[in-house]
Amino acid sequence: MHSKLMLLSYPTHLRIVVPTANLVPYDWGETGIMENTVFLVDLPRLSPKSSTSASPKMTNFGEDLIHFLGAMDLEQSIIDSMHHFDFSATIDLAFVHTIGGANTSDGPSWRRTGYCGLGRAISQLGLATEDPLNIEYITSSVGSLNTEFLTTLYLAAQGDQGIAVYNWRTTPASKLSKLVDRNMQAAQQTAQKQMAAGFRIYFPSLETVHASTGGPNNGGTICFQSKWWNSPTFPRNLLRDCKSRREGMLMHNKIMYVYPTSTSRDPAPSHSVDSNSWAYIGSANCSESAWGRLAKDRQTKEPKLNCRNWECGVIVPFRKAAAMAAGHHDSFTVPKTDEDGEAHFVKDGKAKIKTQATTSGLKAFEKVMPVPIQHPGNKYGNDDKLWFYTE
């Protein structure tokens, strides 16, 4: 169980908290060595006198949260209590998750979870696109990556629900006409080329960890293994050194920033709320364990999503964050931008987080949400050493 989720019920509202942090002191800033990110939203309690017909319709966010809670076998009373709150504030958000185990059409649907669920959520939010994307993935753990998995995740970010790579992998060439086979190969090559050009993964170097305030003795939850890095199929050119903008801090963040390549590496220079850019905040690292693998069930011959971990997170469209920043949404935590372009995140009028603007492709994101990394990160050279936590 790697997911991180808090449901805090108050007499007046429900607070949903999705952190990247574990429930340990050093992940919450008490020792000053590790930083994390938290998404939270407050949902007002519905009046007991409200009739069912008069209550707001449950949003996709709420339905997927309830689906996840049911898969966890939480007490039914807790699951039922979700219907006592107004989820209207989540109408332009998505709750995405990974349900551990084998997800089939007979059990927990494979279309609703893992990277398949990510693609489904992107489509539901109207963010699906065939245009090339940039993906900046901050991760505290890196798995045994390869081109196929990263292409799968890239296509999910475009709105594909796992079917494209599944078909490439499972359809025998003997069952394809030459024309269909050529078209499928061309689509696969295009997706892989776009992924290689736009995907960047942020993970710290050995030097960065040693130079941190906590040092290597506090890097045990930042995980990567040299055997994966040394694999001939590992995409080394996609990794960047992950350095915090707060000097000396290590990161346990899991954040994806996704924005179209066609915008000259700036998600919304005019801060348009129509931007197709979005961010993911949650527990999922950049690994197949976190997002799953869609395979063909040997018995039913139907798709089956195998997931090793349980994960959950939230998709925040740029347009949603921009509207909140402009004061168009009643939200507990609202970012305010001052004259020098710095975003201050405030609670009850008091500044809690401050980020400084850069001139990179994440500049527009910084107007509306935290971007904790120094960007662009340094590419790893042949002589650079990464942080391998077991060595």
Side-chain angles (χ1 to χ4, degrees), residues 204-270:
S205 65
L206 178 66
E207 180 182 357
T208 295
V209 173
H210 274 268
S212 68
T213 301
N217 289 336
N218 290 283
T221 56
I222 305 172
C223 306
F224 192 23
Q225 297 188 42
S226 58
K227 65 179 180 180
W228 295 335
W229 173 252
N230 293 325
S231 169
T233 58
F234 191 93
R236 287 188 172 201
N237 60 312
L238 303 187
L239 261 67
R240 304 290 186 271
D241 194 0
C242 184
K243 293 185 177 182
S244 173
R245 294 165 67 177
R246 299 168 180 83
E247 186 175 354
M249 296 292 288
L250 292 175
M251 277 193 203
H252 193 252
N253 290 312
K254 305 107 172 65
I255 310 174
M256 269 195 287
Y257 301 97
V258 180
Y259 54 97
T261 301
S262 58
T263 56
S264 300
R265 301 196 68 183
D266 192 330
S270 61

Side-chain angles (χ1 to χ4, degrees), residues 5 14 45 70 73 106 132 173 191-192 194 197 272 318 335 339:
L5 173 66
L14 172 71
R45 185 180 290 273
D73 287 331
D106 295 331
Q192 290 176 349
Q194 289 181 355
S272 168
F318 182 87
E339 295 179 356

Side-chain angles (χ1 to χ4, degrees), residues 8-15 43-48 84-85:
L8 309 177
S9 182
Y10 297 88
T12 56
H13 64 281
L14 172 71
R15 175 165 297 168
L43 307 177
R45 185 180 290 273
L46 294 170
S47 169
H84 299 161
F85 301 94

